[in-house]
Amino acid sequence: MVYILRRLIQSALILLGVSFITFVLLYVLPADPVRQIAGRAATAETVENIRQQLGLDQPLFVQYGRYLAALAQGDLGRSYLQKTEVAELILSRLPATLQLMAAGIFAELVLGLSMGIAAALMRGRIGDQLLMMTSFVTVSAPQFVVSLLLLYVFAVKLGWFPIGGYGTLAHLVLPAITLGILGSGWYSRMMRSSMIEVLRADYIRTARAKGLGRARVVFRHALPNAILPVIAMIGIDIGIFMGGIVVVESVFGWPGIGQLAWQAIQRVDIPIIMGVTLVSAFAIVLGNLLADLVAPLIDPRIRLR
Amino acid sequence: MKTWLASTALALTLSTSLALPALAQEYTPDPNAKAGGTITITYKDDVATLDPAIGYDWQNWSMIKSLFDGLMDYVPGTTTLRPGLAESYEISEDGLTYTFKLRAGVKFHNGREMTAEDVKYSLDRVTNPETQSPGAGFFGSIAGFESAGPGGLSGVEVVDPLTVKITLSRPDATFLHVMALNFASVVPKEAVDAAAGDFGKQPVGTGAFKLAEWTLGQRLVFEKNADYWREGVPYLDGVVFEVGQEPVVALLRLQNGEVDVPGDGIPPAKFVEVMGDPAQAARVVVGGQLHTGYITLNVTTPPFDKVEVRKAVNMAINKERITQIINGRAVPATQPLPPTMPGYTQGYAGYAYDVDGAKALLAEAGLADGFETDLYVMNTDPNPRIAQAIQQDLAAIGITANIQSLAQANVIEAGGAGTAPMVWSGGMAWIADFPDPSNFYGPILGCAGAGDGGWNWSKFCDEGLDAMAVQADSLSDPTKAEERLKLWSDVYTGVMEQAPWVPVFNEERYTMKSERMGGDDALYVDPVSIPVNYDYVYVK
């Protein structure tokens, strides 16, 4: 309990740190949001007027203090250019991103775990080497290229899936696989080594000695034990995915917060950039926290301190 | 007092670029046009806002045009003014008073009738600093603009429910164009108030379409306004805008018959492929655009303070080769104005490509050995490639240009602050707000834009030329339109003599459409509605 409390406080401090660093970085950015709002025909007077209205003429710490004060009341501010509440913009897009992330995690587990198990069973043989080489490729393949390739082959040429967009399960398949491919490389390697370790364990030898079939030994006895440490990694994945969704959402026209962030960055719409950064940081911190809390449940040798 | 009676003929004389006969003034409806059908347009970015006082990008510009109307408008597919919500107007002899007579019975999408009070409210709103409109500056000639605030504009007066009188503080020949800008659209106060700061997401206007649905980040649906005050239009039942679509994906979907017009155009990487396929090329409409791509030379930064150096740079740039980099989607430029703009100087040669001549000029300036400088450029394709071509051209006359490839906002910042010796304008280039030569001067070549943060990145300021510009814009008497255009032509040739810019090319527009789209080609390269004029296109 004390541990959880301490971790929560730590998490809050991390979020505060993230908000401060992001705020400072956006403050020192050599691009003036006021000029983006005021337009190219604006007079110097108009520009100053808008700067005052938005409080951007104040010193950094005053601005940051105001931001935190509003944040404490759950107010993320209004978009400079769209004038809409940032919280509304993020909330309207969050479900799409969460859906994509869940599907992405599912895809990476299915792909990664099956590759890892197969490789472990074929250990040292050509199949193993081929699978591990594939994992190298999937880890290093640029997501932009992978997504366009998948779109071209499976949507345009074969017509199995819609060409981008959002709405049905069919829309979800290709972006989820694109996201999953990156992580599947890591998972296949983790799963392979975990599986090999378990297969060497005494209880597996016992199971085999009892005369159980190969499939039963692998899936009933080895897999549940080998999979646990791998599952514990999912929480950490959220951070990695946050980077990937910006690209994947853009290519597939997926209306999530990655797309929102990308457009806001191009328009120097600071309240949106701050909002999305904070929400992402929150998701990552939460993911890590969950991963740590779940770990001892899976493996009793781990103690929380 | 003599007044000119408003008529479409007056509008015609104001805009002489298209020498249409007076009868062609009113738009002739397409005899083949059919009513019905819904089309799909795609965009990469979500729409920022549909508030006509705020929206100021090429994506929402044409959308807002279809939702709202102003007192003035353009004949579809042209740069010719025609009355919009105003039925007629009178201009006083001194050019300082405009009296607009409104059309009766025009209804907002909420069913209420539009009146002169709405016109006043809308102009008060756009000029009120609290609205933070990026277009407020366009209304600078209306009396009382300087003290505009919550109290409104003193120069806008409601005479009766269907008459508005606007008094100017100085004659302004561009004023009718200003009244045709989206910023001058008429909006109903009750809808703005009800939206509580979010009118951009809940727009209510008098336009040909009304907003039926907006799912953030996914799609917007425009639905035909059955009560539209213009007879017979729009033809379409609706327009669906799907946002978040990569241009490459949009093209694939168009080839698959799912999309009618990719709003972001043909992606550069696919351009050769599309134009090389006769079936696809047949569905591409090409037209001029009120655009100029240019290099600014900061006249306050040595050695660009020497006119010889600026002329030498003008002569060193091989514009033909640069247009090849963008697959010939442009024509080489000789002057700041694009060829389709009234006031363009026909036959003006500018500075021809002449490497030896450029070297000689540099030597004259005492820089025979060249010098080193920075060229700022926006970091999206094809701009860095164009910057490399410029770099090579400059190297040929001994100038070493280091390329600073940055995000758009950072280049604008460096240009405005005057820290950039050279800027390639690509990606941020000037596309006219309205089809009048004055629009290419004030903010980007005049003294007004040369201050810190202004868009005049060459920081060029010639008071003589500024005075000529003011004189030209005070000629609001339509019978002096020719004289006015001549003055503007002189202003721009005067600018070129001092060479603060290298005008490089004028981009052409390439709009791709699906097989089933009908309507005059001009509607697909409409100078004021990009990519298409939604009110007049139809489904075959």
Side-chain angles (χ1 to χ4, degrees), chain B residues 103-349:
Chain B
R103 276 173 215 274
V106 174
K107 281 188 179 150
F108 285 114
H109 299 150
N110 64 11
R112 183 172 69 74
E113 218 159 282
M114 185 261 322
T115 72
E117 288 291 346
D118 296 306
V119 177
K120 169 147 180 71
Y121 167 74
S122 305
L123 294 174
D124 286 351
R125 173 174 183 258
V126 74
T127 50
N128 183 348
E130 277 173 22
T131 308
Q132 298 180 4
S133 169
F138 290 114
F139 302 90
S141 62
I142 299 181
F145 174 78
E146 307 301 332
S147 54
L153 270 177
S154 60
V156 183
E157 240 177 282
V158 174
V159 178
D160 63 50
L162 288 178
T163 313
V164 184
K165 194 168 94 183
I166 302 179
T167 312
L168 306 188
S169 56
R170 55 180 151 89
D172 180 3
T174 66
F175 187 66
L176 290 175
H177 282 295
V178 171
M179 287 293 113
L181 285 173
N182 283 354
F183 300 116
S185 298
V186 179
V187 299
K189 181 174 190 297
E190 69 275 15
V192 175
D193 291 344
D198 220 2
F199 188 61
K201 294 276 186 300
Q202 301 155 42
V204 176
T206 56
F209 290 93
K210 48 189 172 186
L211 179 68
E213 177 202 325
W214 186 342
T215 311
L216 290 180
Q218 294 179 48
R219 53 192 233 139
L220 292 89
V221 179
F222 280 15
E223 182 183 276
K224 177 180 186 161
N225 173 9
D227 291 332
Y228 191 47
W229 55 272
R230 276 193 204 278
E231 283 295 314
V233 285
Y235 300 119
L236 297 172
D237 285 340
V239 184
V240 176
F241 299 91
E242 293 191 4
V243 299
Q245 304 272 323
E246 271 293 313
V248 177
V249 177
L251 183 68
L252 292 173
R253 293 188 59 206
L254 180 116
Q255 290 162 350
N256 218 23
E258 296 172 22
V259 166
D260 293 298
V261 178
D264 297 306
I266 306 167
K270 290 278 179 184
F271 185 75
V272 175
E273 184 189 314
V274 168
M275 297 310 282
D277 171 6
Q280 291 191 64
R283 286 189 270 117
V284 176
V285 183
V286 188
Q289 182 165 219
L290 299 172
H291 160 278
T292 302
Y294 50 86
I295 306 164
T296 59
L297 308 172
N298 189 335
V299 301
T300 61
T301 308
F304 294 117
D305 54 344
K306 294 193 175 113
V307 70
E308 295 85 5
V309 175
R310 303 199 297 265
K311 285 182 179 172
V313 171
N314 262 280
M315 290 157 77
I317 305 298
N318 185 347
K319 298 170 187 176
E320 288 285 349
R321 188 169 70 122
I322 294 177
T323 59
Q324 281 161 19
I325 291 177
I326 56 167
N327 298 315
R329 297 169 89 158
V331 289
T334 56
Q335 54 193 297
L337 290 185
T340 42
M341 181 72 100
Y344 176 81
T345 313
Q346 293 293 343
Y348 178 75

Side-chain angles (χ1 to χ4, degrees), chain A residues 30-32 35 37-38 40 49 53 78 82-84 92-93 151 156 163 166 250-251 253 255 259 263 267-268, chain B residues 44-46 48 56 129 132 134 198 201 216-218 244 246 249 253 256 409-410 413 430-431 433 453 455:
Chain A
D32 186 352
R35 239 158 244 154
I37 303 166
R40 54 194 194 179
N49 198 314
Q53 284 185 45
R78 271 178 190 266
Q82 307 191 27
K83 319 280 182 198
T84 308
S92 71
R93 285 165 172 270
L151 256 185
V156 177
I163 312 174
Y166 173 76
S250 289
V251 174
Q259 210 186 43
Q263 289 170 16
R267 294 166 175 171
V268 208
Chain B
K44 182 164 147 305
D45 289 345
D46 198 358
Y56 196 19
Q132 298 180 4
D198 220 2
K201 294 276 186 300
L216 290 180
Q218 294 179 48
E246 271 293 313
V249 177
R253 293 188 59 206
N256 218 23
N410 305 55
E413 188 71 16
W430 201 258
I431 297 179
D433 299 297
W455 275 72

Side-chain angles (χ1 to χ4, degrees), chain B residues 2 26 47 62 71 99 129 143 164 173 224 234 250 268 298 300 304 307 310 346 356 366 380 397 419 424 484 524:
Chain B
K2 191 184 90 189
E26 265 313 307
V47 176
S62 59
L71 296 178
T99 309
V164 184
K224 177 180 186 161
N298 189 335
T300 61
F304 294 117
V307 70
R310 303 199 297 265
Q346 293 293 343
D356 293 331
T380 53
I397 63 165
T419 50
W424 160 243
R484 174 169 180 265
Y524 292 88

